[in-house]
RNA sequence: GGCCCCGUCGUCUAGCGGCUAGGACGCAACCCUUUCAAGGUUGAGGUGCGGGUUCGAUUCCCGCCGGGGUCACCA
């Protein structure tokens, strides 16, 4: 971003304007993050850069306060804060947001009188008019056009003319006749200047007279956006490329609008100051790895597929039985299976019941799966943007934090091509982020995560403390690509010493029956442990060294010694190195496990091999 | 279908007329190794096609093809 795009005297304002109809989508997170990065970068350059959030809740049916709160919360979790917008108090007690520029409120539903004032002004200037067709009529017309393979465009009524106030229509509207308000699209072509895509031209007549106020009295997105961006001083509109096609509408609106002396009163009249056209930057879209659009419906698809497989495989299951079991409406579930609906609630209920993994689409999903915010923001910032910098070895720099992003972000380096969301690479980033954590930081992250998402695991983890806990973190951290991985990786340590379940296949493989090599190894190992000083004062490496020397002296393969011990200690053939395992379990815990294994496995038959 | 955007390894990308087209994830092989991870080394893998412009095109122009977005009283 160069200085030519900005005016040093005015604040430079970007905004993220989510509609609160669900969780924060990863695509939305990226948009918000890059808007934030731009504003931050401006600050670093000495400008008054500001990142603003506005909640676009003009869809009365779908919006909810919980969604708005959830989106704000996800943003804060990612480490993205806003200068202007709804306030949020973080778990740490900090307050984000506020209205220091005095341009709020930041919920559009609370700005209706403003929209109405500008709407009325536009109508009086002959730039907008009430229209009385019903949705049904319009839909029928659209269908008819489609049947004739024609593109439908709303035909401007013959009594409507640009610049002429239509008193008859206004009177009908005033008398209470249901209507929408449409904008009189000017007869000129429109060129959108985009900081990413360059000049994009739209010919005259391409855009029809679109609706700016719905029948319910709420403004449409197009209208509210233009009014708010002007009144809130937004200078840089950065959004996803799917909005590019909307931009000529916004530009046309900006061309027709001037500021009112009083924003809430049409009769105050215009002060003659035209609306600004902000700088636009349309960012590339984000897709699934298969090229389909990333959408919440992917969850329904995944659940449906798994459920169908289940039903064909297990004939004792029926859809109706499942429905009553899950307290779902049988008809709705049947529709769901038949792909007649994509209910997220049903998908989640079914997934929870049958342990079906649902694709992660929203930031919330990734939180739940045990991703670190740092890994997500790092990965996301590489989708459609790159710093274009090399490290000392001449390799591309691609591991960085939000601070680096804000330092190096520029719109110039935004790409034009859509990016596919590669979950495998994200996972790799997350594994690296976890690996980079100090052991005690890992402990904190894991504990916080577990408290929120896996209370049972959190409860079990609580019983381990002190040196044993430190050993557990040290041993398991490199084996976790997500925090959730710890649930499995740490399982061996969280089971009571007298309740270890010895996996029969592992036992057989380890030759643990009396007289076999494994049994002997474990017995000797036990004897060695009893000679060790008090718990916690031994070096894990000394345990490993003993195993090695024992194997050498007895001319055994390491696997013949270590695996039986591993099974005896953990019940399975997979665990961290045995020195670490003993550190975690402690001497007495280890002895309990070894004894129990020795006695329960001695009578087992050898493997049938 | 109309309009609009896009086109470098499988994926994310570097490149802004001259490079053996670089990196990362993934993949393969090898090394390390008591299991599982991790780590190390090496390797395979790309400029969609056709025309121009130019001494020279990944890069500039045109066409084609391919992909995508959008065509709501959703945002």
């Amino acid at each position: 971003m160069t200085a030519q795009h900005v005016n040093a005297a005015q604040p430079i304002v970007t905004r993220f304007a989510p509609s609160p109809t669900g969780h924060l989508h990863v695509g939305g997170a990226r948009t918000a993050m890059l808007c934030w990065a731009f504003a931050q970068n401006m600050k670093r350059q000495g400008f008054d850069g500001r990142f603003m959030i506005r909640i676009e809740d003009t869809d009365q049916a779908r919006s909810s306060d919980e969604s708005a709160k959830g989106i704000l919360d996800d943003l804060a979790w990612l480490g993205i804060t806003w200068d202007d917008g709804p306030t949020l108090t973080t778990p740490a007690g900090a307050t984000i947001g506020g209205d220091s520029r005095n341009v709020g409120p930041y919920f559009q539903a609370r700005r209706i009188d403003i929209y109405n004032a500008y709407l009325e002004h536009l109508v009086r200037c002959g730039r907008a008019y009430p229209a009385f067709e019903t949705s049904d009529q319009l839909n029928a017309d659209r269908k008819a056009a489609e049947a004739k393979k024609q593109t439908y465009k709303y035909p401007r009524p013959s009594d409507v003319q640009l610049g002429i106030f239509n008193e008859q229509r206004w009177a009908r509207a005033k008398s209470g006749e249901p209507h929408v308000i449409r904008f009189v699209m000017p007869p000129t072509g429109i060129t959108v200047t985009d900081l990413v895509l360059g000049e994009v031209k739209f010919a005259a007549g391409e855009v029809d007279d679109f609706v700016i106020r719905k029948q319910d009295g709420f403004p449409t997105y197009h209208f509210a956006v233009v009014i708010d961006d002007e009144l809130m001083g937004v200078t840089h509109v950065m959004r996803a490329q799917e909005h590019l096609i909307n931009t000529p509408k916004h530009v046309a609106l900006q061309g027709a609008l001037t500021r009112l002396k009083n924003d809430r009163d049409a009769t105050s009249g215009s002060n003659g100051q035209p609306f600004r056209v902000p700088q636009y930057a349309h960012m590339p879209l984000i897709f699934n790895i298969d090229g389909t659009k990333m959408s919440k419906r992917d969850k329904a698809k995944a659940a449906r597929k798994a459920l169908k497989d289940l039903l064909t495989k297990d004939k004792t299951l029926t859809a109706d039985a499942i429905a009553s079991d899950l307290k779902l409406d049988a008809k709705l579930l049947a529709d769901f299976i038949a792909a007649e609906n994509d209910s997220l609630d049903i998908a989640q209920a079914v997934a929870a019941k049958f342990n079906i993994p649902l694709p992660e689409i929203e930031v919330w999903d990734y939180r739940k799966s045990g991703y670190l915010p740092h890994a997500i923001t790092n990965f996301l910032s590489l989708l459609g943007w790159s710093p274009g910098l090399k490290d000392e070895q001449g390799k591309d720099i691609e591991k960085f934090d939000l601070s680096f992003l804000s330092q190096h972000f520029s719109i110039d380096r935004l790409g034009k091509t859509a990016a596919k969301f590669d979950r495998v690479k994200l996972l790799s980033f997350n594994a690296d982020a976890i690996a980079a954590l100090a052991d005690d930081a890992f402990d904190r992250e894991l504990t916080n995560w577990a408290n929120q998402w896996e209370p049972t695991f959190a409860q079990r983890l609580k019983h381990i403390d002190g040196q044993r806990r430190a050993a557990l973190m040290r041993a398991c951290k490199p084996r976790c690509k997500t925090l959730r991985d710890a649930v499995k990786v740490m399982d061996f340590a969280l089971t009571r010493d007298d309740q270890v379940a010895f996996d029969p296949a592992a036992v057989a493989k380890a030759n643990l029956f009396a007289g076999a090599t494994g049994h002997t190894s474990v017995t000797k190992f036990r004897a060695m442990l009893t000679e060790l000083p008090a718990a916690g004062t031994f070096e894990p490496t000394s345990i490993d060294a003993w195993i090695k020397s024992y194997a050498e002296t007895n001319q055994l393969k390491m696997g013949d010694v270590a695996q039986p011990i591993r099974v005896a200690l953990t019940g399975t053939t997979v665990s961290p190195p045995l020195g670490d395992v003993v550190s975690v379990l402690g001497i007495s815990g280890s002895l309990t496990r070894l004894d129990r294994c020795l006695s329960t496995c001695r009578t087992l038959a050898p493997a049938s091999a």
Side-chain angles (χ1 to χ4, degrees), chain A residues 530-592:
Chain A
T530 59
E531 317 242 311
L532 247 30
T537 56
F538 63 95
E539 279 294 316
T541 49
S542 71
I543 304 278
D544 296 320
W546 180 89
I547 292 171
K548 194 167 184 204
S549 87
Y550 176 83
E552 273 166 14
T553 356
N554 295 280
Q555 295 192 306
L556 291 167
K557 285 188 287 187
M558 287 294 273
D560 291 333
V561 180
Q563 284 304 80
I565 297 172
R566 189 184 311 284
V567 173
L569 248 21
T570 70
T572 72
T573 54
V574 176
S575 82
L578 294 174
D580 291 332
V581 170
V582 174
S583 303
V584 171
L585 299 177
I587 303 287
S588 81
S590 299
L591 288 174
T592 304

Side-chain angles (χ1 to χ4, degrees), chain A residues 58-60 179-181 211-220:
Chain A
T58 54
D59 184 338
Q60 293 188 93
H179 66 281
V180 300
I181 291 182
V211 174
I212 53 179
R213 185 171 75 182
K214 299 179 261 187
Q215 202 180 113
D216 66 6
F218 275 60
T220 60

Side-chain angles (χ1 to χ4, degrees), chain A residues 449-468:
Chain A
W449 174 85
N451 285 334
Q452 182 171 9
W453 305 103
E454 286 293 330
T456 309
F457 171 70
Q459 207 54 40
R460 297 171 75 201
L461 191 57
K462 238 193 219 163
H463 298 303
I464 300 188
D465 52 19
Q467 292 190 15
R468 290 179 53 210

Side-chain angles (χ1 to χ4, degrees), chain A residues 306-326 333 337 350 353-354 356:
Chain A
L307 185 55
K308 278 171 133 176
D309 289 351
L310 223 53
L311 286 169
T312 47
K313 221 188 304 165
D314 185 349
K315 293 297 178 196
T316 63
L317 280 175
T318 67
D320 286 350
I322 293 171
S324 74
D325 187 20
L326 296 177
L333 184 65
I337 294 170
V350 169
K353 169 75 181 172
F354 297 105
I356 301 165

